[in-house]
Amino acid sequence: MAKELFTEEQIKYIEQAIGEAEQNTSGEIRVHIEKRCKEDVLDRASHVFSLLEIQKTELRNGVLFYLATEDKQFAILGDVGINAVVPKGFWDDIRDMMVDYFKKGQFTDGLAEGIKKSGEQLKSHFPYQTDDVDELPNEVSFGKK
Ligand code: CA
Ligand code: CA
């Protein structure tokens, strides 16, 4: 299982990064990690997106960071509310930065840095509201394969 690749501290660190990023934005961030991805990474990420019910936020501003460690596949998938307002290529810099970390095997740092940056960049489109609700759990989700 992909979870074995991470220590409890590393998982907490990623979850903290999600919590902190969500202090900047009403956008909801989820992370899913598994080892294998044998299909098209965007198809797989879309499937995980639905499984985790990321589409169930009020503003449709959830985002999924999908990572398959062994097959070296990675995708960032934002919901329709995000896609409707952010410029084309919004995720490109974040993705490239994260991939640089992943290439060195630094999954935890790559995820945490990308998550932080996403919070900062989503802030102008989806600012944090004082009555914010944590609509989706900040927990890292791990695949069975
Ligand atoms: Ca929220
Ligand atoms: Ca959340």
Side-chain angles (χ1 to χ4, degrees):
M1 267 184 60
K3 193 172 183 182
E4 297 156 2
L5 302 171
F6 295 83
T7 66
E8 286 301 318
E9 286 73 28
Q10 289 175 323
I11 295 169
K12 276 213 185 76
Y13 185 70
I14 297 167
E15 291 172 351
Q16 253 171 28
I18 296 173
E20 283 166 24
E22 290 184 2
Q23 297 291 309
N24 272 323
T25 178
S26 62
E28 291 285 329
I29 295 164
R30 292 229 55 182
V31 172
H32 182 85
I33 305 168
E34 53 197 10
K35 285 185 174 172
R36 296 288 181 190
C37 173
K38 291 298 179 201
E39 56 191 298
D40 178 83
V41 65
L42 282 178
D43 288 347
R44 178 63 189 153
S46 305
H47 184 66
V48 170
F49 192 98
S50 322
L51 283 179
L52 296 177
E53 302 190 319
I54 297 176
Q55 72 282 3
K56 290 200 171 164
T57 64
E58 196 185 340
L59 297 174
R60 299 295 302 268
N61 59 358
V63 51
L64 170 67
F65 291 85
Y66 172 86
L67 173 65
T69 54
E70 273 183 31
D71 287 325
K72 301 188 179 0
Q73 297 290 330
F74 175 60
I76 305 174
L77 205 59
D79 203 354
V80 293
I82 295 178
N83 296 342
V85 296
V86 302
K88 204 172 173 296
F90 179 78
W91 299 110
D92 292 357
D93 290 348
I94 296 175
R95 189 195 54 222
D96 292 349
M97 182 196 70
M98 294 175 82
V99 167
D100 283 342
Y101 278 98
F102 297 159
K103 280 182 183 157
K104 293 182 264 178
Q106 299 172 345
F107 298 121
T108 303
D109 287 338
L111 286 164
E113 290 306 312
I115 289 161
K116 279 182 211 165
K117 196 123 215 285
S118 305
E120 288 161 15
Q121 289 195 197
L122 283 171
K123 188 178 182 172
S124 58
H125 303 283
F126 298 97
Y128 181 82
Q129 309 288 336
T130 46
D131 59 349
D132 182 81
V133 177
D134 188 20
E135 293 175 283
L136 302 175
N138 299 349
E139 228 170 273
V140 177
S141 157
F142 288 96
K144 289 190 179 68
K145 50 183 187 179

